[in-house]
Amino acid sequence: MYGERTLLERVKVFSLFAFIPLFAFTAVVMIPFSLGVVMTFTDWAGVSTSITFKGLENYQIAFSDPNFVASLFITLRYVLYTLVLTNVIAFGLALLVTSGMKGQNFFRMGFFTPNLIGGIILGFIWQFIFSRVIVYLGEVLNLQMFSSSWLADPQKAFWTLVIVGVWQSSGYMMLIYIAGLTGIPKSLLEAAEIDGASKWQQLIRIKVPLMITAFTISVFLTLQRSFVVYEVNLSLTNGGPFRSTELLSMHVYNEAFLYQNFGPGQAKAFILFLIVATIAIIQVRAMKKLEVEA
Amino acid sequence: MQHKTSTVVKPDSNALLKTHPLKQKRKGIILFLLSSILFVLYIFPFALVVLNSFKERLDIVQNPFSLPEQFSLENYIWAYQTMNFPAAFINSLIITVFSVVIIIVFSSMLAYFLVRWKWRMNHFILFMLVASMIIPFQALMIPFVSVYGNLGLLNSKWTLIFCYLGFGVSLATFMYHGFIKNIPKELEEAAYIDGASKLQVFWYVVFPLLKPITITIAILDVLWIWNDFLLPSLVLIDESNRTIPLSTFYFFGHYTSEYGAAMAALVLAIIPVIIFYLLMQKQIIKGVLEGSIK
């Protein structure tokens, strides 16, 4: 059945099963990606028929743009804080909802809820919370820290993005850690208990080492997601105040579609791709080495 | 005698292992309380939005925690009409259903092809699909918009659906690929000998066996496509084509200071997902859980 010999037979099988999905994949991913690479080295914007080779000029323009460099550093800071907080909280939540208490499925559902709703809507919800509710609480309780909107202060606006990012993703990563925790053989934990290991020792010596796969996946996903975050950024802070919370994704979008700088914009987008790809590959490789068998 | 001692020793060792029942109970209560507090923290933004969606602007400004003075649906009626909710809902529904169905149909066929026909290029195809998953959309969007814009393909739901196939095919094919590998092919061969065509073998014999992974992929893709903002905002230009995230975005942008109506718009946008969640909670949690470890 699977031994087509003639070319015609092979073409038939291919067009039957593989042509349409591969055509869509090529048209939507491969071609724009290849053209994107061309764009970063030329002055071509996809419109004109003439192309001039510009070498690394677009990249030079990108790196000499102080707004881009600032955006790069804000993004790195954002990724770092979101990565750590999301995974610590998600792991904690997973421990909590696998402890065997009453209603743990209900709690799982609750913690996961933000992941059902798109970033645009989540950002608007929190815009209301930060600009109205928290300010109101600050006034009523007379707390200096909350009495003016965090969204109007460059330092605090950054933290609103982190808070919403962590709130949103931790429920998703919790599910990954639940999968990891339930995959640990019960017999191992019982044996440890008999040997007199405390709960804390069981956690550090048995659960964590056996869950490296879950950590690898969760850290990978958090990295990937937080590097390209756009929608919450758009609806919560819109990059403000004074472009202080303009994450890379928004910076690239504005550069291309607001200011029409296609070449440098695409170079910036490509830098984003290189960063994401490099970090993701290094992270997965490094963590694979830590994995142990039960 | 021997027998007697062992029955005496056994309950003793058990008592050593298990913590005192009272202590155990107290621990359970503490964990439950902790979870409840966290649950409230995760849900309170939604609750506040719902609460304020029934209030007038002034009431919201004065106290976002107060209960509505009278239960009025005015905000909802206005938001429903102004954001043209029914049209946005239908657009979202059409785009999501068509996209998810074609992703499932074509990815499952492609994966079947890649597993069963062991041509040399099939390894390469699978590698390209997997490798492409690391590309952030931002690295594609500038060339994508210029090329598709020049070809006059933007501003159509069907282009958007085609795009979702192109972007969705890699993960779905990868997941199907892992699943199909473990299916023995004897059944298929029997059907083939009985005179079934290749397509019939796939649809009647193989595809029904893929049900669990199909549900997982469908859930991940529904959540992704229903909530997506950036891609539709680039493709769908006409107001009549707007999806729910898009129309919420434009509505909110215009009526930022009309808090009551803005909150009502957010609730309207959230309702369909929450209904979907309540109907499918088990499959959603399970689907995301399995999808995340594949």
Side-chain angles (χ1 to χ4, degrees):
Chain A
M1 159 173 195
Y2 315 110
E4 284 74 14
R5 305 229 171 258
T6 66
L7 186 64
L8 186 69
E9 274 178 334
R10 285 177 162 227
V11 169
K12 265 190 195 161
V13 171
F14 181 82
S15 39
L16 201 59
F17 283 98
F19 177 72
I20 294 174
L22 289 179
F23 174 71
F25 175 70
T26 311
V28 177
V29 179
M30 297 316 283
I31 291 176
F33 185 76
S34 319
L35 292 178
V37 177
V38 175
M39 279 174 107
T40 66
F41 296 111
T42 60
D43 67 346
W44 188 65
V47 190
S48 60
T49 42
S50 71
I51 301 182
T52 326
F53 183 72
K54 301 202 117 183
L56 291 172
E57 203 183 302
N58 285 327
Y59 289 93
Q60 261 164 7
I61 296 172
F63 280 116
S64 55
D65 175 358
N67 286 320
F68 173 70
V69 178
S71 174
L72 188 63
F73 280 106
I74 299 163
T75 309
L76 288 172
R77 224 160 74 97
Y78 171 80
V79 170
L80 183 71
Y81 286 120
T82 333
L83 181 74
V84 174
L85 290 172
T86 303
N87 284 286
V88 169
I89 291 173
F91 188 59
L93 291 178
L95 286 176
L96 206 55
V97 298
T98 50
S99 64
M101 72 178 154
K102 247 190 203 143
Q104 52 185 24
N105 285 330
F106 178 76
F107 288 122
R108 281 180 200 189
M109 265 185 73
F111 298 143
F112 183 75
T113 310
N115 287 285
L116 296 165
I117 295 152
I120 281 290
I121 292 162
L122 296 181
F124 282 138
I125 291 177
W126 280 92
Q127 195 200 74
F128 173 70
I129 305 280
F130 282 119
S131 64
R132 283 280 130 216
V133 180
I134 295 195
V135 174
Y136 172 81
L137 281 179
E139 282 166 2
V140 171
L141 304 173
N142 208 5
L143 291 169
Q144 196 69 51
M145 200 178 143
F146 297 125
S147 57
S148 65
S149 173
W150 280 29
L151 297 170
D153 176 299
Q155 267 308 312
K156 289 175 182 165
F158 170 82
W159 286 102
T160 66
L161 284 177
V162 175
I163 290 169
V164 178
V166 172
W167 171 78
Q168 182 187 3
S169 308
S170 47
Y172 197 96
M173 305 308 156
M174 169 193 75
L175 288 185
I176 298 173
Y177 289 124
I178 290 174
L181 280 169
T182 44
I184 296 172
K186 282 263 178 322
S187 55
L188 268 176
L189 295 173
E190 278 163 14
E193 187 126 14
I194 291 170
D195 289 344
S198 69
K199 288 277 177 217
W200 178 250
Q201 283 172 322
Q202 288 178 36
L203 180 68
I204 299 298
R205 299 278 169 85
I206 300 173
K207 287 184 181 171
V208 171
L210 285 177
M211 280 178 63
I212 299 292
T213 321
F215 281 102
T216 310
I217 297 165
S218 175
V219 169
F220 176 78
L221 283 179
T222 327
L223 269 175
Q224 236 188 354
R225 282 176 166 207
S226 48
F227 259 115
V228 300
V229 107
Y230 173 73
E231 299 172 7
V232 168
N233 195 188
L234 178 68
S235 57
L236 181 62
T237 68
N238 197 11
F242 321 115
R243 302 184 80 168
S244 63
T245 60
E246 195 179 81
L247 298 179
L248 273 183
S249 194
M250 178 178 277
H251 182 86
V252 168
Y253 182 95
N254 290 346
E255 187 73 3
F257 302 120
L258 219 58
Y259 309 122
Q260 307 276 317
N261 292 331
F262 290 103
Q266 181 58 25
K268 290 169 178 176
F270 209 68
I271 294 165
L272 173 68
F273 160 68
L274 289 175
I275 295 173
V276 173
T278 314
I279 294 185
I281 291 168
I282 292 175
Q283 178 251 327
V284 171
R285 287 224 169 141
M287 292 186 78
K288 279 254 181 267
K289 284 192 187 144
L290 293 174
E291 280 176 26
V292 284
E293 291 283 319
Chain B
M1 198 64 200
Q2 189 75 25
H3 185 75
K4 221 177 178 182
T5 39
S6 74
T7 47
V8 173
V9 168
K10 222 179 178 185
D12 265 340
S13 71
N14 263 345
L16 264 177
L17 284 179
K18 288 245 157 63
T19 9
H20 198 271
L22 211 71
K23 215 175 159 191
Q24 192 82 5
K25 206 176 170 190
R26 200 166 28 169
K27 208 183 123 208
I29 293 171
I30 292 171
L31 287 179
F32 187 81
L33 278 179
L34 182 61
S35 306
S36 305
I37 293 167
L38 285 169
F39 183 82
V40 171
L41 276 179
Y42 271 79
I43 296 300
F44 104 105
F46 298 113
L48 280 175
V49 167
V50 174
L51 178 70
N52 285 292
S53 66
F54 295 108
K55 287 158 52 172
E56 282 177 29
R57 186 182 189 283
L58 200 65
D59 292 342
I60 299 172
V61 176
Q62 277 170 354
N63 182 355
F65 290 100
S66 68
L67 290 170
E69 290 197 348
Q70 68 215 53
F71 186 81
S72 154
L73 287 174
E74 220 168 292
N75 290 328
Y76 279 92
I77 294 164
W78 196 57
Y80 184 86
Q81 287 166 348
T82 317
M83 70 189 279
N84 204 353
F85 186 79
F89 179 79
I90 302 267
N91 286 335
S92 277
L93 198 65
I94 291 174
I95 291 165
T96 307
V97 170
F98 275 93
S99 305
V100 173
V101 169
I102 64 169
I103 289 175
I104 284 170
V105 167
F106 290 112
S107 303
S108 60
M109 286 170 73
L110 177 60
Y112 179 66
F113 167 76
L114 294 178
V115 173
R116 287 291 186 254
W117 281 268
K118 297 194 178 343
W119 303 352
R120 213 171 305 147
M121 71 165 188
N122 288 9
H123 287 287
F124 176 72
I125 294 173
L126 187 68
F127 172 78
M128 290 303 277
L129 290 170
V130 173
S132 78
M133 283 193 264
I134 218 164
I135 306 173
F137 177 68
Q138 284 76 6
L140 306 171
M141 73 183 175
I142 299 170
F144 171 82
V145 168
S146 29
V147 171
Y148 282 65
N150 276 328
L151 295 172
L153 289 169
L154 294 183
N155 209 10
S156 142
K157 280 192 204 68
W158 307 107
T159 302
L160 185 60
I161 292 169
F162 178 75
C163 289
Y164 282 128
L165 174 62
F167 288 122
V169 77
S170 43
L171 179 66
T173 305
F174 175 63
M175 289 169 78
Y176 273 125
H177 190 274
F179 197 90
I180 295 173
K181 265 196 311 199
N182 298 324
I183 295 181
K185 53 181 171 182
E186 281 72 24
L187 273 176
E188 297 161 41
E189 276 157 353
Y192 198 62
I193 289 163
D194 287 346
S197 72
K198 291 185 184 78
L199 269 187
Q200 282 172 327
V201 169
F202 178 73
W203 286 112
Y204 295 121
V205 180
V206 181
F207 192 72
L209 296 173
L210 305 179
K211 199 176 158 201
I213 192 78
T214 300
I215 293 173
T216 298
I217 292 169
I219 279 168
L220 292 177
D221 286 348
V222 165
L223 290 180
W224 160 46
I225 294 168
W226 183 273
N227 288 322
D228 196 21
F229 174 80
L230 184 51
L231 180 62
S233 79
L234 294 171
V235 175
L236 305 173
I237 296 147
D238 269 2
E239 214 179 312
S240 62
N241 272 330
R242 280 178 191 164
T243 59
I244 288 184
L246 284 174
S247 65
T248 315
F249 178 73
Y250 288 107
F251 181 86
F252 216 96
H254 282 245
Y255 303 102
T256 318
S257 54
E258 289 297 326
Y259 293 115
M263 295 304 111
L266 293 181
V267 177
L268 283 176
I270 290 171
I271 286 174
V273 194
I274 294 298
I275 292 175
F276 179 63
Y277 194 33
L278 292 176
L279 292 175
M280 314 263 300
Q281 34 163 308
K282 280 226 174 71
Q283 287 91 326
I284 290 177
I285 296 278
K286 202 172 147 264
V288 173
L289 221 153
E290 278 167 12
S292 57
I293 34 182
K294 283 275 144 58

